[in-house]
Amino acid sequence: MRAFIPNYQLTTPASLADALALLENEPGVWKPFAGGTDLMVLLEAGRLVHRNYINIWGLHELRGIEATDTHITLGALTTYTDVQANPILRGEFPMLCQAASETGGLAIQNRGTLGGNIVNASPAADSPPALLVYDAEIELVSKRGSRWLPYQGFHTGYKEMQIEHDELLARIRMPRNTADLAHYYRKVGTRKAQAISKVCFAAVGKTDDGQIADTRIAVGSVAPIVLRCVQTENTLRGHKLDDETIRTACETLVREISPIDDIRSTAKYRLQIAKNLLVDFLATIRG
Ligand SMILES: Cc1cc2nc3c(=O)[nH]c(=O)nc-3n(C[C@H](O)[C@H](O)[C@H](O)COP(=O)(O)OP(=O)(O)OC[C@H]3O[C@@H](n4cnc5c(N)ncnc54)[C@H](O)[C@@H]3O)c2cc1C
């Protein structure tokens, strides 16, 4: 049943500084409301526990996509539509664009933000595997200042993350080092569109004279957080891409992930699909 709207308060600050002042002055009272595509689902279901929200949608400081020679930086309010429209992202970070194009429908893509996707912290979210593989860093801002941290490690457990009550996620940046890599992204769901992932697999890699010179792999919906599969990467990097290496990598991946049975799938199916996607990715870079 829908929540009783008068129980909720939404305030619209004039600037980022005003928003940060609210967060600092009344600790824990206010939470950000960006596109609202996750929050409104909870509201409609009568399960939106928190009552006071700061509407950050109009804060221009959290918008925009800027590129330098070394990095591309996206405001936290970058929508999935913005992602798909950006030529640098399309050329150098195609998995993020693919994730954006496979997230919800057009209405969600126009309104849902990357910042909201990250802080909502669903283990089944579709952008995080791509962001992890692209070695994204995130900027958190508060009245105390700004801090950048690697996105890998930001999520510490199911819906737990390294963000303080007075902080907003402001920007996401990725190094422009993907030129000679193969990019592989697969979202496996019940349908081709409007489905929550059963498994979401993102990877980049390249071979040099038959050896795996570089690879990065991340998988969603197979653990309490979206996982960068460092151990699996280590079984691959520097090794000849032969059947023995592929077998070892699959065994390591199975140990590294911990899928569960839930309403969308079973642990057994997710394990098998994750292995299949790893094998398919390796066939892609071998090819
Ligand atoms: C029909 C439908 C389909 C969907 N399909 C997909 C899908 O295919 N794949 C997928 O991954 N997701 C999907 N989603 C989920 C959702 O659209 C995304 O997670 C979206 O990116 C959330 O962004 P938002 O701006 O709407 O977040 P909001 O709902 O505004 O906020 C989500 C959470 O993040 C916090 N937050 C938001 N911005 C910030 C910030 N800058 N700093 C700190 N905290 C912040 C909020 O306080 C809240 O806790 C779907 C949702 C719906 C309703």
Side-chain angles (χ1 to χ4, degrees):
M1 191 200 298
R2 194 176 201 214
F4 185 55
I5 300 295
N7 283 342
Y8 292 89
Q9 195 180 355
L10 181 75
T11 186
T12 301
S15 66
L16 178 60
D18 287 355
L20 296 179
L22 264 180
L23 290 171
E24 185 185 66
N25 295 340
E26 297 179 73
V29 172
W30 298 95
K31 277 188 81 173
F33 189 106
T37 59
D38 278 312
L39 292 172
M40 288 303 289
V41 172
L42 295 174
L43 182 87
E44 288 297 319
R47 291 195 288 118
L48 188 59
V49 178
H50 203 85
R51 295 295 165 94
N52 299 296
Y53 290 90
I54 304 180
N55 173 16
I56 60 172
W57 184 255
L59 299 182
H60 66 89
E61 297 93 331
L62 306 183
R63 285 204 180 277
I65 300 178
E66 285 169 13
T68 64
D69 287 347
T70 58
H71 287 83
I72 186 158
T73 304
L74 296 81
L77 292 173
T78 300
T79 65
Y80 298 108
T81 301
D82 298 333
V83 167
Q84 292 170 77
N86 185 277
I88 296 176
L89 292 174
R90 283 208 305 269
E92 298 175 33
F93 303 91
M95 297 192 299
L96 191 60
C97 297
Q98 191 178 337
S101 74
E102 294 183 28
T103 294
L106 283 183
I108 295 296
Q109 291 173 17
N110 284 337
R111 187 75 196 179
T113 66
L114 283 184
N117 202 225
I118 290 173
V119 180
N120 187 56
S122 164
D126 293 315
S127 305
L131 293 171
L132 283 173
V133 161
Y134 287 141
D135 283 336
E137 297 171 296
I138 56 176
E139 183 192 30
L140 301 173
V141 295
S142 68
K143 285 295 261 187
R144 294 172 286 124
S146 144
R147 60 181 177 123
W148 282 96
L149 56 159
Y151 178 44
Q152 187 183 349
F154 174 65
H155 298 293
T156 52
Y158 180 71
K159 297 268 180 186
E160 288 170 10
M161 66 209 100
Q162 299 188 52
I163 189 167
E164 303 295 334
H165 281 309
D166 63 344
E167 287 181 316
L168 282 177
L169 174 54
R171 291 185 289 173
I172 301 141
R173 81 177 166 208
M174 298 178 292
R176 296 178 71 178
N177 59 8
T178 62
D180 54 349
L181 298 172
H183 304 244
Y184 180 96
Y185 181 91
R186 294 287 184 281
K187 169 176 174 170
V188 177
T190 304
R191 301 176 299 269
K192 266 195 170 299
Q194 296 277 25
I196 302 177
S197 296
K198 294 174 189 233
V199 174
C200 182
F201 187 103
V204 290
K206 69 174 176 189
T207 52
D208 186 5
D209 198 19
Q211 277 201 338
I212 304 163
D214 185 16
T215 188
R216 299 175 235 153
I217 300 166
V219 193
S221 282
V222 293
I225 60 174
V226 177
L227 210 62
R228 174 86 183 254
C229 298
V230 178
Q231 292 166 32
T232 306
E233 290 174 11
N234 288 341
T235 62
L236 291 165
R237 207 173 285 119
H239 289 266
K240 208 164 181 53
L241 186 43
D242 55 18
D243 291 348
E244 172 64 16
T245 301
I246 294 173
R247 196 179 52 76
T248 309
C250 284
E251 287 169 3
T252 308
L253 182 69
V254 166
R255 283 196 302 274
E256 199 165 19
I257 63 181
S258 51
I260 55 167
D261 295 339
D262 66 13
I263 191 170
R264 290 190 303 281
S265 191
T266 63
K268 192 175 165 198
Y269 180 81
R270 288 180 157 123
L271 272 179
Q272 188 60 52
I273 291 295
K275 274 196 292 183
N276 292 355
L277 294 174
L278 177 61
V279 171
D280 195 37
F281 159 61
L282 293 172
T284 305
I285 59 171
R286 180 151 62 176

